Amino acid sequence: MTDQSHARHTEPGGPRTAPGPDAGRRPGAGAGAHDCSDAVERALGRLDLDGKARLLSGQDMWSLPAVPAIGLRSLVMSDGPIGVRGRQWSAEDPSVALPSPTALAATWDPELARRAGHLLAQEARRKGVHVLLAPTVNLHRSPLGGRHFECYSEDPLLTGAIGAGYVRGVQEGGVGTTVKHFVGNDAETDRFTVDNRIAPRPLHELYLAPFEHIVTHARPWGIMTAYNQVNGSTMTEHHHLVTEVLRGAWGFDGCNVSDWTAARNTVRALHGGLDVAMPGPRTVFGAPLAAAVRAGEIAESEVDAAVRRVLLLAARTGCLDGVPPAVAPADAPQGIDGRAVARELARRAVVLLRNEPAGEGPQDGAGPILPLDPAALRRVAVIGAAARDARVLGGGSATVFPARIVSPLAGLRAALPEGVEVAFATGADPRTRIPHAREGFTLRARYLTAEGRLLAETPQFDGRVQVLGSFPDGVTRRDLHAVELTGSFTPRATGTHTLAVAGAGRLRLTLGGEVVFDGDGAGREGSDPFEAFMQPAEHRIDAELTADQEVSLTLRFVPHSLGLGEGMGALNFVLGHGEPRLDGDGEIEEAVRAATGADAAIVVVATTEEVESEGFDRGDLRLPGRQDELVARVAAANPRTVVVVNSGSPVELPWRDRVPAVLLSWFPGQEAGAALADILLGAHEPGGRLPTTWPARLADAPVSTVTPTDGTLPYEEGLFIGYRAWQRAATAPAYPFGHGLGYTRWEYETLDTTPDSVRVRLRNTGDRPGREVVQIYLAPTGDTSGTPERPARWLVGFATVEAGPGESAETEIPLPGRAFEVWSEPDGGWRRVPGTYAVEAAHSSADIRLAAQITSR
């Protein structure tokens, strides 16, 4: 439900009220409840100019310096959209891996986002992290955005509500957040330099709106300014948007942290409102800032203002002695079962796109194919490389290393009754690169000096060894010469296995005591240095191996460089492994044989890190490899085919009308297979609704431009992105914003309105308990001449309700005043647009169930 909504469910025994979004809110969890100004002033008064300037500059990749003289401990930051990695990019300290942010938004449940925040705060406290670099609340302007899996939605209200729930949850756990990337970082192409030209109305009504909602409703302790420019000024120097809008109009009192390496100019950054330049040790702040003050280019009072905000953040997170933190450790939510939360979130996020009866078979006429009846199953075919090796999280800085991953294949095998045969076939592998070595491998990384002295040894989650900013304890850039990835491999199959090595440096692979590769590797070419670092060129080696016979291996890597930009310690190299495979035709034929005669065929299709990741945008929306052909062939062989789409954002589904059921699992996190089994076998209902419109073809998408021309990207579509644009387009999408089916049916019975709220009553007319997301849209009616151009309708509120078979549910949803307003450039503020509006209660943006008129004056 939205921040202000509540729901009542009428059932036997009388009505009950669902908890509101602030139920259980602990005193001091909000930023405004924590008054430590006297302590901050005392600490500030004991710092000299150099100490102040140093405090505004990262001391390394992930932390700010400690100042023992004033009782200030080092404040540690970590990436945290779906899990808390900590200071080191390794599996030595595993992290809970939740589903992707698009999955969280698909729940349409800010209270669930808040619970996810509680878990992440618990993880952060366990790892000594004080601030999470999340949530990401940029909008899905175009479906080609490569990092959209890490953002929530195309709609600013849904984005803001889910983001506010996340921020409240994390900060109720005593850990800070940095809402990012402020603002306009809506694509990856040339993200470091692009100037996004956004007119005032869409800037305020769309792109700033989620940030404003979160600042207003959740009081975040931090914000992160983006790499890109907006209307001619880079965001780390954008005085108007940071100082006048964010801090002035909205009242944000937190700390402004730069995106990593985004700060470019000492004077302009401080004047623009930047507080902390990351990462360290060399940034535009620190010594250059102190020198600018002494040269008269900056007033020391401006430095003091930034230091106050850093000290306030430290006080809120418990890093400043003598000041109680905003949340006492005893009051923070704890004892949370991470696996249980990850599983619940994953199944609540699943969107059932299509569910029709099977074309033929023993259950003709029995209704939709899902849920499957476990008692009626004797043989199930599970097909697709992603069914055995699920893609559970997106690529880039959101990466974490969970202690376990439940694949769809493993989840179904565990959930199906004993005696049900589960046949697996790869069918079509979407990956163009060899996947990281994991299944059957036991690996550790050894960090060595040039003389061979061991500096540190760490366990490995898989075959990727990666350091970004913080080397393992005992390892320094000065002493480190080589890293050895060493251990053993026990194959699952006999035949020709493919090994791959990649990394910008000297690589030597020894297998069973024999050197099978010795040569130089190189980074991937690309305009984005992060992309080049994450995807080095690979070299492949074939090896004949025997099932169940263990073989030793060592991959030695001597890096060309131990840096990614100035002062940023980094290394990355990979051991990949692919099992013996048939050729492409043979794999599809094997899948067809597995599907033929099965009681159900479950096909899992997926994107890969090569097409959907931080660092680059997508060139198309097609599933990689021959996966579309695979689905078509399997569906022709078995009319009881269910397709599971394992992607973080939209892909084309050209076969969608030829299969009875399509499920969208997003990037589902570590409990992927367990949650999917819950949905497929009917233990739980698929509760997700689309947070972004799903096009049938990229060619139909109203907004597809993500590449700037001469450094500039005009947002020429203005207000019309997402469903706002589709409503006036000549073609319909494959699935509209808000769409999602369940295992029951809902009848919308009544809609009552007041000037400031809507009350909807609906009934579960099916034979199973269910959950519905009631969406409220506002649409101008009558004579709109002389009024500003607006979309046909826009989302103004939503709530979730639950009810058993035959039961009714009632929910009241506020109509915020902002819903009737537009941004007026001449006035420099919001202006109410009087007139007659339709208030619509809907199942999706294209499925309006009830409507009533209301007059705004």
Side-chain angles (χ1 to χ4, degrees), residues 382-385 424-429 581 583-592 626-627 630 634:
V382 180
I383 295 167
F424 171 74
T426 299
D429 194 324
R581 293 179 53 180
D583 62 22
D585 290 339
E587 287 185 329
I588 291 179
E589 291 297 337
E590 180 186 48
V592 170
R626 297 175 64 178
Q627 294 181 100
L630 171 68
V634 170

Side-chain angles (χ1 to χ4, degrees), residues 590-614:
E590 180 186 48
V592 170
R593 288 193 297 271
T596 301
D599 297 304
I602 313 297
V603 184
V604 182
V605 296
T607 60
T608 69
E609 289 188 7
E610 292 90 64
V611 298
E612 195 177 1
S613 178
E614 178 182 354

Side-chain angles (χ1 to χ4, degrees), residues 28-97:
H34 189 238
D35 185 5
C36 53
S37 55
D38 289 345
V40 166
E41 289 302 319
R42 285 194 301 271
L44 176 63
R46 296 168 63 189
L47 290 170
D48 62 14
L49 175 60
D50 292 312
K52 296 172 188 176
R54 192 161 50 247
L55 193 54
L56 304 184
S57 180
Q59 69 173 348
D60 54 27
M61 186 71 170
W62 304 114
S63 68
L64 296 181
V67 185
I70 64 170
L72 179 66
R73 291 179 294 285
S74 177
L75 190 147
V76 178
M77 309 176 197
S78 171
D79 287 311
I82 57 100
V84 183
R85 190 173 58 246
R87 299 182 67 162
Q88 294 187 3
W89 199 298
S90 80
E92 187 171 10
D93 184 8
S95 308
V96 173

Side-chain angles (χ1 to χ4, degrees), residues 785-798:
S785 60
T787 64
E789 182 183 27
R790 287 174 292 175
R793 62 177 49 86
W794 54 91
L795 184 72
V796 297
F798 58 91

